[in-house]
Structure formats: structure tokens, C-alpha cells
Amino acid sequence: MTVRWGVIGPGRIADKVVADFGHVPGAELVAVASRSAERGAAFAQRHGIARVHESYRAIIDDPGVDVVYVATPHPQHRGIALAALNAGTAVLVEKAFTVSSVGTREVAAAARGTGVFAMEAMWTRFFPAVVRMRDLIADGAIGDVRSVQADLGVRNQSGPDDRFYSAELGGGALFDLGVYVVSFAQMILGSPSEVSAHGTLAETGVDVEESILLGYPDGRSAALYCSLQCATPGAARVVGTEGWIEVPPRFHHPDRILLHRHGAEPEEIGAPALGAGYAHELIEVTERIAAGEPESAVMPLSDTIAVQDVMAAVADRLGMVPVEGPATLE
Ligand SMILES: NC(=O)c1ccc[n+]([C@@H]2O[C@H](COP(=O)([O-])OP(=O)(O)OC[C@H]3O[C@@H](n4cnc5c(N)ncnc54)[C@H](OP(=O)(O)O)[C@@H]3O)[C@@H](O)[C@H]2O)c1
């Protein structure tokens, strides 16, 4: 079976992601939808895509499209994903999945109710280096895991017009960068019982930077940092009773890890990614849909909900009020 893909929102990230389809067996990129006929046509020409739709509704209703990759700003994910799932079209939704726990739960409920595949495009989880790290942790290579530390900061100097600083477009550090450190901690430690956060807000009301401390009932913890104004290494570390694993910069798309077993020399484990690294999540979605499965075991909807709940708590601690998009197509 060939899984036929469409793209919604041909912006910056969509350009990068679709370039990796050459590494995805059993997938064909057949259509793109843009609110602008010119943008859609230019994207289709750059990537050799046959059909251009001039509305998001049209690509969702295209019977020749099995799954849409949703690459609009985050608040717009909710209405698009709900419309697609209710029409029987599978979705791969960019991170952040939505900007609210309510929005994320609605989309997850629609996927579960319809039995149509849905997944958050948290590409980090599918990198061979991350898969290797999880296997080592499961095998007890660093003993009992007690702590996760991760940072991700960029020096973003875009103007207030850019989506990064616009509340209506889901701006701020949390939903663009914080989602990576929170998701990484959630992947290793699960859902925290306590969330603390301290940071600053921009004049537009979105968060510029923050430190996040996650606490677990048995004393485990995660110390995380994200920033839109300070460049940081972008490293992660998982600490256990028998050693630690380092995910060197940038941890959200790594090509290697370093295993430090207590009392031994560090071992560097190389695990290069295919293409620009997006291929692995595309392969996962293509394979799950071809197999008729409604979710990914690597990035299940329950984990996406757990991550969204932590981000909601962080926003609350910072005094930020995320502006969720409508539940219907605009
Ligand atoms: N996985 C990754 O590495 C990664 C990296 C960067 C971004 N992302 C995620 O990808 C999503 C898009 O980010 P981006 O940087 O590609 O954004 P972008 O360059 O601004 O593109 C977003 C696209 O969404 C469409 N859109 C729909 N409603 C819109 C609205 N109200 N305002 C503006 N655009 C709207 C536009 O396409 P049309 O108007 O042509 O339809 C636009 O080209 C975000 O959720 C972001 O977090 C992921």
C-alpha cells in the first residue's frame, strides 16, 4: 500500500520536512494546501507535488489524500486536525500539538472516537540516537533514573509581527522550544506531580524565557530551561544511580549520545539520522497507517496530552494566557 500525503501550511518547516520524503518507503507526497494560490503553487513546484488546493477544507476532502501534515502555527492546529479526523483523514500535527489542554484532548478524543490515526510531530523521539538512549536506559545501563536536565534557547530577533511574539499565533518560548525539553523529560520520567516555573513575559503577553522544575512523588526531578532571547547549547542529560547519558547539542536532533557508566571511560555511540532527521517520524506515520494502526507507540496521544498539561501549568505559573484557535476551520 502507498500512503498518500498532503501538506497543510507550506511555511518554513514544511519546506524542510517534505525534503525528507525521499527517505520514506511506501509514501507519496501528492498534494499541498495553502490559503494563497501563489504560495501553494510555488511550494508544489519546489517539491514536485501534483495537486494544489486553495483551501484547507479542499485537501481534507480530497479522496486521494490519506494523511495530512499540519504545519500551520500551533493555535490553528486544533480546528484543522478536528476537521481532518472527522472527515476520516489521518493527521501528523506539528509541535506544539495545540496551545491548550482542552484543544489537545478534543483532538485526541476525535482520533480515538473515529479510529483515525493522529500523532504529534515530535521528531526527536524517532531519532536513532534517542531510540538507542531509551534502550540503554531500559537495559539498566545507568541504573535507576533520578533526574533529567535539558536546555533549548535561541537568540530570536524577529520583530513583534513574527509568529514567535504573537499571542494569536501561539508565540513564546514555551510552545516552540519548551515543548522539546518538557517532552524529553516526559518521555523519560512520565507525568510530574509538581510543576514550578520562573521566567519573563514579552509585552505581547507571550513568554520570552523560563526555567521549569518538575517534581515526582519519589523525589525524581527535571530541571529545564528554554529561551527566545538567549542562545544556549541545547544539551540534555539523563542521570541515574549508575551513571549518566549525555545527549550533546542539539539534543532535539542528535546524531550521537555519550554513555558514562560509573567508574568506566565514557562511550560515544554514534547513530546518524536519515536526511535532515524528519524522515524517521514520517516513516513511523507511514508504517502505522499502512498497518491500520490508530496511534504510534513511540509518540502516543496520552504522552502528547501529558506534555500539554505540563505546558499549561507552566503558562499558568508565568501568568501567560495562551490564545487557543477555533475548533472549526476558519
Ligand atoms: N519540528 C520542527 O523542527 C519545527 C521547526 C519549526 C517549526 N515547527 C512547527 O511548525 C509550525 C509552523 O511553523 P513555521 O515556522 O513553519 O511557521 P511559518 O513559516 O509561519 O508557516 C506557517 C504556515 O501556516 C499557514 N497558516 C495558517 N494559518 C495561519 C495564520 N493565521 N497565520 C500565519 N500562517 C498561517 C501559512 O501557510 P498558508 O498561508 O500558505 O496556508 C504559513 O505558511 C509550528 O507549529 C511550529 O512549532 C516545527
Side-chain angles (χ1 to χ4, degrees):
M1 169 192 178
T2 298
V3 175
R4 299 162 302 174
W5 284 77
V7 173
I8 293 183
R12 287 168 283 204
I13 190 59
D15 252 325
K16 294 185 187 172
V17 168
V18 303
D20 269 6
F21 268 107
H23 298 280
V24 187
E28 193 184 351
L29 181 54
V30 297
V32 58
S34 169
R35 298 172 304 169
S36 137
E38 296 79 51
R39 260 198 309 278
F43 188 89
Q45 193 175 21
R46 278 199 301 283
H47 299 288
I49 299 171
R51 288 198 294 289
V52 180
H53 292 290
E54 292 179 22
S55 77
Y56 298 165
R57 168 56 66 192
I59 197 170
I60 286 169
D61 289 340
D62 182 340
V65 172
D66 302 309
V67 51
V68 286
Y69 165 56
V70 182
T72 63
H74 350 296
Q76 281 68 40
H77 294 172
R78 176 194 188 197
I80 296 168
L82 286 172
L85 291 167
N86 288 325
T89 303
V91 292
L92 172 64
V93 181
E94 259 307 342
K95 43 57 62 177
F97 197 68
T98 71
V99 296
S100 67
S101 293
V102 169
T104 284
R105 280 186 168 75
E106 278 173 0
V107 176
R112 288 166 178 160
T114 56
V116 179
F117 182 92
M119 191 184 95
E120 177 187 359
M122 179 42 75
W123 61 320
T124 306
R125 292 201 181 193
F126 301 93
F127 272 71
V130 173
V131 172
R132 187 83 177 90
M133 178 193 74
R134 295 181 79 176
D135 287 346
L136 284 165
I137 292 171
D139 289 348
I142 57 169
D144 179 24
V145 173
R146 304 299 305 161
S147 175
V148 168
Q149 296 146 21
D151 71 271
L152 196 58
V154 297
R155 189 158 176 263
N156 183 307
Q157 295 186 312
S158 60
D161 297 343
D162 200 277
R163 75 167 177 84
F164 289 101
Y165 286 97
S166 158
E168 284 70 31
L169 297 181
L174 179 61
F175 295 124
D176 247 278
L177 303 163
V179 63
Y180 283 112
V181 292
V182 170
S183 186
F184 190 83
Q186 194 279 333
M187 175 180 80
I188 306 286
L189 296 171
S191 290
S193 51
E194 286 176 44
V195 179
S196 314
H198 185 76
T200 54
L201 301 184
E203 279 176 11
T204 55
V206 306
D207 63 313
V208 176
E209 65 184 344
E210 62 263 6
S211 284
I212 302 167
L213 182 63
L214 306 181
Y216 297 80
D218 59 355
R220 290 174 302 144
S221 63
L224 313 170
Y225 174 76
C226 62
S227 177
L228 262 188
Q229 69 177 355
C230 302
T232 71
R237 204 179 295 142
V238 182
V239 179
T241 51
E242 301 298 327
W244 74 89
I245 293 175
E246 201 182 326
V247 189
R250 283 173 78 85
F251 85 87
H252 64 306
H253 51 96
D255 61 2
R256 67 200 166 101
I257 53 172
L258 291 142
L259 171 62
H260 299 256
R261 294 182 198 262
H262 182 66
E265 286 297 312
E267 289 170 49
E268 178 168 321
I269 300 165
L274 289 170
Y278 302 103
H280 299 283
E281 63 179 1
L282 299 176
I283 290 169
E284 170 76 355
V285 175
T286 300
E287 288 182 353
R288 298 286 72 75
I289 291 175
E293 294 169 23
E295 281 196 44
S296 161
V298 179
M299 188 66 248
L301 291 167
S302 55
D303 281 17
T304 292
I305 291 170
V307 168
Q308 200 78 51
D309 286 349
V310 172
M311 293 197 293
V314 170
D316 179 64
R317 306 296 182 269
L318 297 173
M320 173 168 76
V321 184
V323 182
E324 184 59 279
T328 51
L329 276 180
E330 284 171 315

